[in-house]
Amino acid sequence: MNDFITTEAKKAYPLAVSIRRNLHMHPELSTKEFRSAKLVFDHLKELGLKPSYCCDKTGVTATIGNGAGKTAVIRADMDALPIHEETGLAFSSKVPGVMHACGHDMHTGILVGAAQALIACKDRWKGNAVLLFQPSEEMAPGGAVSMIREKAFPQSADAVFGLHVSTDHACGTVGLKSGPDYAGVVDFEVVVKVKGGHGAAPETTADPIVCSCAIIAQLQTLVSRESPSHEPCVVTVGTFHSGTKQNIIPTEAKFSGTIRALSDAHLEFLRVRLGEIVLAIAASYKAQVAVRYEKAYPPGYNDPALTQKAKQVLSKTLGEKKVHMREAPVMLAEDFAYYQKKVPGVYVHLGVRPLQKKSVPGIHTPFFVPCESAILTGIAVHVSLATDILSV
């Protein structure tokens, strides 16, 4: 079976590459993946499947049915990022300011290629392979919520699989992390308000900039002094806006960021303490303050038994030396976690770092260039994991 999977993955590779490059040249932002969805829809029809649109025609689902048996779900995301590409690739983005800087074009091409390979080896498995081509992974709360709400994700399934490109691992290899992997995220926005005044007379008013800076500095103690050392978490302030002129104390300052943790309980603790710190410091500066929260993504969790089985399966397909067990979780976030809350799942780190390089630009940068031959590995990963669940 392993040799057969490798052979069929190689046959599907040209189609997957073609789709990846097409999507890369025509990236679409979250909730706008109409062209991407149609491209996938048309290719699935050409493979003899009966795809369906969902999420206002920005998502696609299809089932490869093959008699009675278990159900395995495989997911790919399709949206791009608001980043202007600077890679110089021959198939660079033709859309100014929009780029597949997170590898979702690779994910989508890989899953279509896996569909072709799964169809080719139907005599070796039974059941249902459900394919999810999901929109809006990059926009909280994530397209997975819509896929579940619209029942594109099956009501009953035995396992769910996905993968994400990773420069942590060399091309041709994969990483697996049992248990917690990918953080849960809560977004926050803080607005500090005062009456404002002249820069020459700061004693006549409060200063929202000084107040905000004090809050931001104190928030770092949530990690360094209030969180257990064995529970990774991150507090990041990513935006800060205030003022119009150098000699004016403004009436308002606004900043926003994220808190990340690997459990719902720790995430809630950080959210509550963040609010308490904000209110206490604002009061000490005689400023009014408002805090807004939005839960973006839940923590990810790779089922330990399924992860161990995935290690065994992928070691046979790829080779033992090409499957790396990761000790530490990543603190990135993924709405794939919503699927993992419904059924046992494994989210694979797909190595895309060129073999001859130890360091390359990472995801979410305008210079991100994943090793394209990793598509072959990705196809083999999907087919191997799905057929193991659906084995005759």
Side-chain angles (χ1 to χ4, degrees):
M1 183 64 172
N2 297 319
D3 290 341
F4 189 85
I5 288 175
T6 301
T7 298
E8 292 305 321
K10 288 180 179 178
K11 291 179 182 178
Y13 179 70
L15 171 62
V17 170
S18 173
I19 292 171
R20 181 261 166 147
R21 293 187 177 189
N22 191 317
L23 292 174
H24 195 88
M25 286 190 291
H26 305 282
E28 296 174 303
L29 295 174
S30 302
T31 75
K32 307 296 182 183
E33 304 94 328
F34 302 106
R35 184 186 181 280
S36 302
K38 186 178 187 307
L39 180 70
V40 168
F41 186 96
D42 291 344
H43 277 289
L44 294 178
K45 284 190 67 175
E46 290 176 7
L47 291 175
L49 300 179
K50 297 180 179 179
S52 299
Y53 285 114
C54 57
C55 306
D56 297 323
K57 285 195 171 185
T58 62
V60 178
T61 182
T63 298
I64 307 174
N66 195 25
K70 294 182 178 181
T71 297
V73 182
I74 319 173
R75 172 269 206 173
D77 36 13
M78 299 190 294
D79 52 335
L81 288 162
I83 294 175
H84 187 77
E85 183 164 0
E86 297 183 41
T87 64
L89 291 171
F91 51 91
S92 290
S93 171
K94 294 184 177 181
V95 184
V98 183
M99 175 193 175
H100 270 291
C102 205
H104 296 182
D105 53 337
M106 294 267 284
H107 302 170
T108 302
I110 286 169
L111 187 50
V112 175
Q116 177 180 311
L118 283 167
I119 292 170
C121 64
K122 287 177 74 172
D123 60 330
R124 299 165 185 256
W125 60 273
K126 293 291 184 183
N128 296 290
V130 179
L131 314 176
L132 300 183
F133 294 87
Q134 179 203 301
S136 302
E137 187 279 326
E138 298 287 355
M139 178 181 287
V145 175
S146 297
M147 298 291 276
I148 293 170
R149 183 175 59 243
E150 296 184 18
K151 298 182 180 179
F153 189 89
Q155 295 297 295
S156 177
D158 296 279
V160 60
F161 300 108
L163 54 76
H164 201 293
V165 296
S166 171
T167 56
D168 290 347
H169 301 280
C171 190
T173 70
V174 297
L176 296 172
K177 168 66 175 68
S178 181
D181 196 22
Y182 284 85
V185 178
V186 170
D187 297 332
F188 64 85
E189 180 184 75
V190 178
V191 180
V192 179
K193 292 186 176 182
V194 299
K195 65 180 182 179
H198 197 290
E203 74 280 4
T204 64
T205 184
D207 191 324
I209 295 178
V210 174
C211 177
S212 296
C213 289
I215 293 172
I216 292 169
Q218 189 64 24
L219 290 183
Q220 305 312 306
T221 64
L222 287 172
V223 177
S224 66
R225 289 295 179 270
E226 298 203 38
S227 295
S229 59
H230 61 273
E231 289 194 40
C233 61
V234 180
V235 177
T236 298
V237 173
T239 71
F240 189 112
H241 301 283
S242 186
T244 58
K245 199 171 186 295
Q246 71 272 16
N247 65 345
I248 298 175
I249 296 175
T251 59
E252 180 179 292
K254 181 187 297 185
F255 63 90
S256 65
T258 62
I259 52 179
R260 297 170 183 261
L262 294 171
S263 72
D264 288 321
H266 196 189
L267 203 59
E268 177 62 11
F269 165 78
L270 293 171
R271 185 193 70 79
V272 171
R273 284 295 294 136
L274 183 145
E276 292 172 348
I277 289 172
V278 168
L279 291 174
I281 294 179
S284 72
Y285 278 83
K286 296 180 288 187
Q288 294 184 334
V289 68
V291 188
R292 182 182 64 83
Y293 306 99
E294 182 177 349
K295 189 171 183 179
Y297 305 97
Y301 186 82
N302 291 320
D303 181 80
L306 195 60
T307 303
Q308 182 61 32
K309 191 63 186 297
K311 177 187 177 183
Q312 297 171 1
V313 170
L314 296 181
S315 292
K316 291 179 180 179
T317 302
L318 306 177
E320 289 187 15
K321 293 183 178 180
K322 293 187 177 181
V323 180
H324 305 286
M325 297 306 296
R326 298 171 61 96
E327 295 183 2
V330 296
M331 299 304 288
L332 303 170
E334 249 292 342
D335 68 355
F336 185 83
Y338 286 107
Y339 303 130
Q340 292 172 307
K341 283 183 172 292
K342 297 186 71 66
V343 299
V346 172
Y347 202 53
V348 178
H349 298 257
L350 178 67
V352 295
R353 190 183 72 243
L355 292 174
Q356 68 275 20
K357 295 184 179 180
K358 293 184 178 180
S359 178
V360 294
I363 60 173
H364 287 223
T365 71
F367 308 101
F368 177 58
V369 182
C371 177
E372 197 168 62
S373 61
I375 288 175
L376 183 62
T377 305
I379 295 172
V381 166
H382 279 331
V383 178
S384 296
L385 297 180
T387 53
D388 178 68
I389 293 292
L390 307 173
S391 59
V392 178

